[in-house]
Amino acid sequence: MAPPGRRRLSKIASLLGLLFLFSSTASAASSVLGIDLGTEYIKAALVKPGIPLEIVLTKDSKRKETAAVAFKPLKYTSQSSASGFPERLYGGDAVALAARFPGDVYPNLKPLLSVPFERSTVVNEYRANHPGLRLVEQKERGTVGFRSQSFGEDEEPFSVEELLAMELQNIRANAEAMAGKGCTIRDVVITIPVFYTASEKRAVERAADLAGLRVLALTSDGLAVGLNYATSRTFGTVNEGAKPEYHLIFDMGASSTSATVLKFQGRTVKDVGRFNKTIQELSVMGTGWDRGLGGDALNTVIVDDMIEGFVNSPKGKKAGLEPSTVRGHGRAAAKLWKEAERLRQVLSANTETMAGFEGLYEDVDFRYKITRAHFEELTSTYIERVAGPVQQALNTAKIKMSDLDSVILHGGAVRTPFVQKQLEKIVGNGGKIRSNVNADEAAVFGAAFKGAGISPSFRVKEIRAAESAVYAIGASWTVDGKIRQQKLFPSTSHVGAEKQVPFKNLDDFTFTLYQQIQGDTPSESHDAPVLKVQTQNLTASVTHLTETFSCAPADISTRFAIRLSLENGQPEIVQGSVSCEVEGVGKKGGVVDDVKGFFGFGAKKGDQEPLKEEAQPADPEPAASVKPSSKSKAKAKEGTDVPDPEVAHKVKAPKKRTELVHLSFVSEAEGLPDFSQAELRRMKERLAAFDSSDSSRRLREETLNTLEAFTYRSRDLLTEETFISASTEEQRLKIQAVLDTVSEWLYGDGADADRDALKARLKELRGLVDPVLKRKDEASKRPEQIRLLNEALNQTKNLIEVVREQAERAAAASSTSTSASSGTTATPSAGDDDFAGLDDEASTTPTVPIEPKTPDIPTYTPEDLTEITSAYDSIQNWLTTKLAEQEKLPVYKDPVMLATDIDDKAKQLNKVVMDLLQRKMKVPPKPKTSSKPKTKSKPKSKKAKSTTSAAKGTTTDAAAKSDDIPVMEFGEGGRMWEGGKLPSKEEVLEAIERQKAKDKEHDEL
């Protein structure tokens, strides 16, 4: 056994370790990021202690980041790294490269998540809008991949999830820069379209995982907007008779449009103790959507009109241009797409606008003009589709348009004039259409608020939000050779709902959970598998119930608890069991009773009854067997062979109980297959290599900037008089030659040089300039440092005289005190004592001896004088010697005494003097004398009592003051050695006299 002390240390270390673990965990979980993952833009909001809820700004101080990533081809090759990864650009910087590098700019990736490569309308539309990109099929999953022009053919294509992970990494980096140094952000809540299937949700979660983020929850855009709407409002309490409010969130973004019917209400619920509290509830009642109606679709209409106008223009006809040729040209398509986005936004506030292109295709210029009326004519088919999502959401929620309190607009495309006109026509009352939320940032604020509510580090307004399943969930399995299907959750079910699903299978089997995906037409609707579950011990469990408890197969029931996950709304298996009813009383109680029984605190009934003398414990019996009563047991143990008929008559009939066995099972995601472990490892390694390459590139750019700045500074130094005086003509000519070489190299091959080459050039230039700069700086600093040191030496010299004088006076005072103590002490006469007649008091009062006179404060010894004199002489000799050597050197030679050396000598002298003064200015506290006599005495007169009381109070005050060690002060209330300067001789003498006066006052008291 370890010694007690060691055991105690081990416990303390364990507690400290747990404290560190909890504090680290709390610190890691103290920041939450809400991300609005849009098709065209990505927005983020940060929640952190000290940052309640704030938008994460981009590097350009913008409140939203364009959802794009680009690879910029390398201009130089690093000798220190053989990776050769291109530079990554994000947001507006990435889009700006689309015209130059159309094959390496990847915008609007979200619609391609988990989309099959073959026979996909989405893929065909994306390829038509971005012809410069090279889309390929990923063989492992059959989804979309991209081949970059910056890599060779042997490089694996980039998946959509991998490119999206890069964008999320950029958002995370911006958030961490905003949160402050040392803050790491990992927890996120991400918004997704309401119509996302299980495969699409998994793709978002996979992208976040590749970016190093942990998804706390996925929330639909509509619910996130509703959360933001509810944070600043209070709704009627339904417990008190108020009616709930119904609002429709109409969200039109870049790639899709959705409508979400939300119910808002207040409710009074039980709080801690006897108190109640009112909370706000928010639930999704119905949803509708159109995957193809959005800003991108409207942009496509403008692009088609521009291409048609360009081809039919006189210059286009002369050049013999074809629409397909222009559309398939990467650079031309990138220019047209960027300008179409701008034109659509301008038409939201203006009736007409224009665009101009120089050398759009084959050096042919083009001018384009469009009016709002013409734009609405081109998009007439899309105008009719605005009502679809709204009506679908109302039908799902089973309410009418008149039941809505308002229609809340969200999304960038809702600013299109014809969209709002069409909504007014659908609603019938323009007053119901509201813009009372931020159309761009309401969703991201709602996501961040939900993340803060999930995190234990924050306390927010209690709003209970319930997401809907959107798609109906069913189960499919085979029994007796027949396929069975059962609908488990309707599309309006809320997440968190749980259901017990019975199965008649008694052997190990497999069942599948699926989503009922609704297409635009009944033929497009289908069942999409989500989760496959395989039981592992069902057969063995049924055999155990049959053999051990004699359960009939018809009485055995197999059940699984299935729940809609709170994180992503997908079905998940909570537990599975197989059971049957048997005769007998089972063990009652729960976990607490089991714990009590384990420690012997359970009730002593039945088999816990204490045994009588000479009794032997009975053999254990199965839990299902019916045991005799305690009375019959006792008689049997006493040797009675004939059972008591009365006792047997009292035995009750056995009760029914349920014998349950938990099932083990394995679940596997169905639908679109996930990446293999090897593929995931490869993608993470490539992302890490990109990060390392970006870090090296930033360091190179910093080195390049440093070299350029130092080059400009060096040119300016060559014209300064102080620099010229600290250098020779030969040195300046050599610096000028190196500067010319470096400048020419920087604007030539140096622009693409790696970091090592830049550092070598910088080192060469610094090797010539830095020594001159050092001499220049020393020449400017040295006089002031010498002046300060001389002042300190002069003050120390004055202090030495004070120390010498006080040492001599202390020696004289010591000899006088010795001779005085050897003489006869005089005794006071009886006539002088007013209380001489009180014999009894005179015999009991102790005689206070006369203390010798205290020597002057402070007292210095010859050793103190030697110490300070030695330090003074040493530093004075050093300064005299170095000054003589320095005066012999020219300015352009390296100095023999540096400013730092002079400062060190001043500090050395300062320390010696300070130690001496601090040590000698401390006065020991006077000994406390008791004011009470040791023996009892007769009562004194009033005069004596008052005198004693006064003396007692004075003694107490003096003792209280003596607790603080007095420190000598200089000047008017200034502390000794104030400001790091030595006191003058006059200040020291004045302080000594002041200290003597204080001591004299104490003696008189």
Side-chain angles (χ1 to χ4, degrees):
M1 182 181 246
R6 183 167 299 178
R7 291 201 305 272
R8 189 179 300 111
L9 179 61
S10 178
K11 292 180 180 179
I12 294 175
S14 301
L15 291 175
L16 290 176
L18 289 175
L19 179 62
F20 175 76
L21 175 63
F22 292 148
S23 63
S24 301
T25 304
S27 176
S30 62
S31 300
V32 180
L33 193 63
I35 297 179
D36 181 12
L37 188 62
T39 300
E40 186 177 4
Y41 294 101
I42 300 178
K43 296 170 281 290
L46 178 64
V47 183
K48 180 182 178 292
I51 303 178
L53 197 63
E54 190 170 343
I55 290 291
V56 176
L57 301 179
T58 67
K59 294 179 180 179
D60 301 330
S61 298
K62 296 180 180 179
R63 298 178 68 86
K64 57 184 179 181
E65 186 81 278
T66 304
V69 58
F71 298 157
K72 187 177 181 180
L74 292 174
K75 289 185 178 180
Y76 58 90
T77 57
S78 177
Q79 298 176 358
S80 59
S81 175
S83 58
F85 282 90
E87 180 182 1
R88 290 182 297 183
L89 299 176
Y90 300 97
D93 295 337
V95 175
L97 292 177
R100 295 175 55 195
F101 308 104
D104 268 329
V105 179
Y106 309 94
N108 301 10
L109 295 171
K110 195 176 81 168
L112 297 177
L113 284 171
S114 74
V115 174
F117 183 78
E118 296 294 339
R119 301 183 302 277
S120 175
T121 305
V122 178
V123 176
N124 295 332
E125 291 178 355
Y126 190 89
R127 184 187 287 111
N129 294 332
H130 307 282
L133 295 176
R134 184 180 174 187
L135 279 67
V136 296
E137 181 181 5
Q138 283 195 319
K139 298 180 180 179
E140 185 177 354
R141 305 171 70 224
T143 54
V144 179
F146 294 90
R147 285 203 176 275
S148 171
Q149 295 180 357
S150 300
F151 294 89
E153 291 293 329
D154 55 341
E155 183 71 19
E156 291 292 331
F158 290 87
S159 64
V160 179
E161 290 84 350
E162 188 176 1
L163 294 174
L164 186 58
M166 295 181 186
E167 298 180 19
L168 293 177
Q169 282 180 329
N170 177 57
I171 296 295
R172 177 185 180 182
N174 294 339
E176 290 177 349
M178 175 181 172
K181 186 177 181 181
C183 181
T184 301
I185 299 175
R186 191 181 174 203
D187 295 336
V188 294
V189 174
I190 302 177
T191 66
I192 57 173
V194 68
F195 51 79
Y196 258 21
T197 62
S199 297
E200 291 168 312
K201 291 180 179 179
R202 289 171 187 159
V204 174
E205 292 175 333
R206 177 57 64 192
D209 176 68
L210 290 174
L213 298 172
R214 181 179 64 179
V215 179
L216 297 179
L218 296 176
T219 181
S220 65
D221 296 321
L223 184 64
V225 175
L227 274 172
N228 179 250
Y229 181 79
T231 53
S232 58
R233 292 169 175 82
T234 301
F235 306 96
T237 305
V238 293
N239 308 58
E240 301 174 357
K243 294 183 179 180
E245 297 182 13
Y246 293 92
H247 300 269
L248 185 142
I249 310 297
F250 185 83
D251 186 3
M252 187 172 184
S255 62
S256 62
T257 300
S258 65
T260 305
V261 176
L262 300 176
K263 181 173 73 172
F264 298 85
Q265 63 185 17
R267 182 182 298 276
T268 301
V269 297
K270 187 173 179 58
D271 200 1
V272 179
R274 300 180 180 180
F275 300 97
N276 295 331
K277 63 179 179 179
T278 301
I279 63 171
Q280 306 300 309
E281 292 182 337
L282 165 63
S283 56
V284 177
M285 305 301 297
T287 56
W289 61 85
D290 188 335
R291 284 179 175 259
L293 177 61
D296 286 353
L298 304 181
N299 293 344
T300 303
V301 172
I302 298 177
V303 170
D304 292 342
D305 190 59
M306 285 192 294
I307 291 177
E308 183 178 357
F310 178 57
V311 172
N312 294 328
S313 65
K315 293 182 179 180
K317 291 181 178 179
K318 184 177 180 180
L321 302 179
E322 295 291 335
S324 58
T325 306
V326 178
R327 185 183 301 276
H329 190 264
R331 293 184 178 180
K335 293 179 180 180
L336 291 171
W337 183 264
K338 182 179 179 180
E339 196 64 18
E341 173 72 17
R342 187 191 67 83
L343 293 174
R344 181 176 62 83
Q345 293 178 356
V346 172
L347 288 176
S348 299
N350 298 274
T351 57
E352 65 178 26
T353 184
M354 297 183 63
F357 303 90
E358 294 182 3
L360 176 61
Y361 182 73
E362 292 186 357
D363 296 331
V364 177
D365 299 338
F366 177 57
R367 295 289 181 271
Y368 176 75
K369 180 180 180 180
I370 184 173
T371 62
R372 182 186 295 178
H374 182 54
F375 172 66
E376 293 180 356
E377 181 182 352
L378 295 174
T379 57
S380 58
T381 57
Y382 294 99
I383 296 177
E384 299 174 357
R385 294 166 58 177
V386 173
V390 176
Q391 193 59 47
Q392 182 184 356
L394 294 175
N395 295 340
T396 306
K398 298 180 180 179
I399 62 174
K400 300 178 182 179
M401 183 68 69
S402 59
D403 297 329
L404 292 177
D405 291 276
S406 70
V407 176
I408 301 174
L409 303 181
H410 185 263
V414 295
R415 299 183 179 92
T416 306
F418 74 78
V419 174
Q420 298 188 13
K421 290 181 181 179
Q422 189 69 11
L423 285 175
E424 291 177 359
K425 184 185 300 185
I426 297 170
V427 175
N429 181 6
K432 283 188 176 183
I433 300 178
R434 308 281 176 82
S435 299
N436 46 8
V437 299
N438 190 321
D440 289 327
E441 300 175 354
V444 68
F445 279 131
F449 180 86
K450 183 171 185 177
I454 296 174
S455 173
S457 303
F458 304 96
R459 184 179 180 182
V460 298
K461 179 180 178 181
E462 188 168 357
I463 302 176
R464 299 182 180 178
E467 188 79 77
S468 69
V470 181
Y471 298 110
I473 304 296
S476 174
W477 71 98
T478 302
V479 57
D480 298 332
K482 297 181 180 180
I483 298 178
R484 301 291 180 89
Q485 285 187 330
Q486 180 180 352
K487 188 175 182 179
L488 304 181
F489 299 98
S491 60
T492 55
S493 298
H494 290 153
V495 296
E498 185 174 327
K499 181 174 290 187
Q500 296 287 336
V501 182
F503 295 88
K504 293 186 177 180
N505 299 62
L506 300 181
D507 295 325
D508 286 315
F509 72 108
T510 301
F511 66 93
T512 302
L513 302 179
Y514 59 86
Q515 289 180 326
Q516 294 181 346
I517 307 298
Q518 300 175 358
D520 296 334
T521 60
S523 60
E524 295 180 359
S525 301
H526 63 283
D527 295 340
V530 176
L531 192 69
K532 182 173 70 173
V533 182
Q534 172 67 52
T535 63
Q536 292 184 320
N537 64 336
L538 177 58
T539 303
S541 300
V542 171
T543 303
H544 170 71
L545 293 176
T546 303
E547 296 179 354
T548 306
F549 304 104
S550 302
C551 295
D555 299 331
I556 298 177
S557 174
T558 303
R559 291 178 178 271
F560 277 89
I562 304 175
R563 178 179 61 193
L564 295 178
S565 172
L566 291 171
E567 295 182 3
N568 52 24
Q570 297 307 302
E572 59 182 2
I573 307 300
V574 180
Q575 65 177 2
S577 63
V578 58
S579 60
C580 71
E581 289 189 349
V582 298
E583 294 181 354
V585 180
K587 185 186 295 185
K588 297 181 180 180
V591 177
V592 176
D593 295 328
D594 294 339
V595 175
K596 287 182 177 180
F598 177 77
F599 288 104
F601 299 123
K604 295 181 178 180
K605 295 181 180 180
D607 55 349
Q608 293 184 353
E609 187 171 328
L611 297 175
K612 297 184 178 181
E613 295 182 0
E614 300 179 1
Q616 299 294 332
D619 295 335
E621 298 180 3
S625 62
V626 181
K627 298 182 180 180
S629 66
S630 60
K631 291 184 179 180
S632 62
K633 272 187 177 183
K635 290 186 178 182
K637 293 174 182 177
E638 292 173 357
T640 304
D641 297 333
V642 181
D644 189 349
E646 295 181 1
V647 176
H649 178 71
K650 292 181 181 180
V651 176
K652 296 182 180 180
K655 295 182 179 180
K656 293 286 186 179
R657 66 181 177 84
T658 300
E659 189 67 28
L660 183 143
V661 179
H662 291 286
L663 296 178
S664 60
F665 56 88
V666 177
S667 59
E668 180 182 355
E670 284 283 283
L672 182 68
D674 196 4
F675 296 98
S676 64
Q677 293 299 321
E679 183 69 9
L680 287 175
R681 192 183 311 109
R682 184 193 62 79
M683 287 192 295
K684 290 183 178 180
E685 290 176 353
R686 183 159 62 178
L687 288 173
F690 261 110
D691 294 339
S692 177
S693 177
D694 290 343
S695 177
S696 299
R697 186 174 296 105
R698 283 192 296 270
L699 293 175
R700 176 199 173 274
E701 291 175 355
E702 292 175 2
T703 306
L704 176 61
N705 294 336
T706 303
L707 177 58
E708 289 179 343
F710 194 77
T711 302
Y712 294 137
R713 185 190 177 195
S714 299
R715 290 189 182 278
D716 295 338
L717 289 173
L718 290 175
T719 59
E720 292 184 6
E721 294 182 1
T722 55
F723 188 86
I724 294 173
S725 62
S727 60
T728 62
E729 181 67 22
E730 181 182 358
Q731 292 172 339
R732 292 192 296 274
L733 291 176
K734 190 172 183 180
I735 292 174
Q736 183 65 54
V738 174
L739 281 174
D740 294 340
T741 303
V742 171
S743 299
E744 184 179 355
W745 177 77
L746 279 176
Y747 293 101
D749 298 336
D752 299 332
D754 60 11
R755 183 168 179 249
D756 292 338
L758 295 172
K759 289 173 64 177
R761 295 283 183 170
L762 181 60
K763 182 179 180 181
E764 179 186 6
L765 188 57
R766 282 189 177 277
L768 298 175
V769 178
D770 285 350
V772 182
L773 285 177
K774 185 176 181 180
R775 292 194 295 269
K776 172 179 171 292
D777 294 340
E778 287 293 331
S780 62
K781 295 178 180 178
R782 192 183 308 113
E784 179 64 18
Q785 294 295 330
I786 293 175
R787 185 187 66 81
L788 294 176
L789 182 57
N790 280 325
E791 288 183 0
L793 287 170
N794 293 333
Q795 292 175 358
T796 305
K797 185 177 180 180
N798 295 334
L799 187 59
I800 290 174
E801 296 179 5
V802 175
V803 171
R804 182 180 293 108
E805 179 183 351
Q806 293 300 318
E808 294 174 355
R809 292 177 59 184
S814 177
S815 62
T816 304
S817 176
T818 303
S819 60
S821 62
S822 62
T824 304
T825 302
T827 58
S829 64
D832 296 335
D833 190 356
D834 294 338
F835 305 97
L838 301 178
D839 297 335
D840 54 331
E841 289 185 4
S843 62
T844 58
T845 303
T847 302
V848 180
I850 298 177
E851 297 180 359
K853 185 179 180 181
T854 305
D856 294 338
I857 303 298
T859 58
Y860 294 101
T861 63
E863 290 78 8
D864 299 332
L865 182 61
T866 303
E867 179 183 0
I868 190 172
T869 304
S870 176
Y872 171 82
D873 294 339
S874 175
I875 296 174
Q876 182 65 61
N877 294 335
W878 177 85
L879 180 61
T880 303
T881 304
K882 291 298 181 179
L883 282 175
E885 295 178 2
Q886 183 63 41
E887 290 176 357
K888 297 177 181 179
L889 294 177
V891 183
Y892 54 85
K893 290 290 185 179
D894 292 336
V896 295
M897 58 184 309
L898 303 177
T900 55
D901 297 337
I902 302 173
D903 186 60
D904 291 341
K905 292 297 180 179
K907 291 180 180 178
Q908 179 182 347
L909 184 62
N910 179 39
K911 184 178 183 306
V912 172
V913 176
M914 282 293 295
D915 290 345
L916 177 63
L917 293 178
Q918 294 278 351
R919 183 171 65 249
K920 295 301 179 179
M921 293 306 170
K922 294 179 181 179
V923 181
K926 295 183 178 181
K928 297 181 181 180
T929 58
S930 177
S931 61
K932 296 181 180 180
K934 296 183 179 179
T935 59
K936 295 182 179 179
S937 61
K938 294 181 180 181
K940 298 181 180 181
S941 63
K942 294 182 179 180
K943 182 178 181 181
K945 288 182 179 179
S946 60
T947 306
T948 306
S949 300
K952 182 177 179 180
T954 305
T955 305
T956 304
D957 295 340
K961 291 181 180 180
S962 66
D963 291 339
D964 298 330
I965 298 176
V967 180
M968 182 175 291
E969 298 180 354
F970 296 98
E972 295 297 330
R975 304 293 293 180
M976 180 178 57
W977 207 257
E978 180 127 14
K981 296 182 179 180
L982 285 168
S984 63
K985 178 179 179 180
E986 291 75 12
E987 290 175 338
V988 173
L989 293 176
E990 182 183 353
I992 292 174
E993 294 300 329
R994 191 182 302 112
Q995 188 67 35
K996 287 181 180 180
K998 290 183 179 179
D999 294 340
K1000 185 177 180 181
E1001 292 178 4
H1002 288 301
D1003 294 340
E1004 292 176 354
L1005 294 174

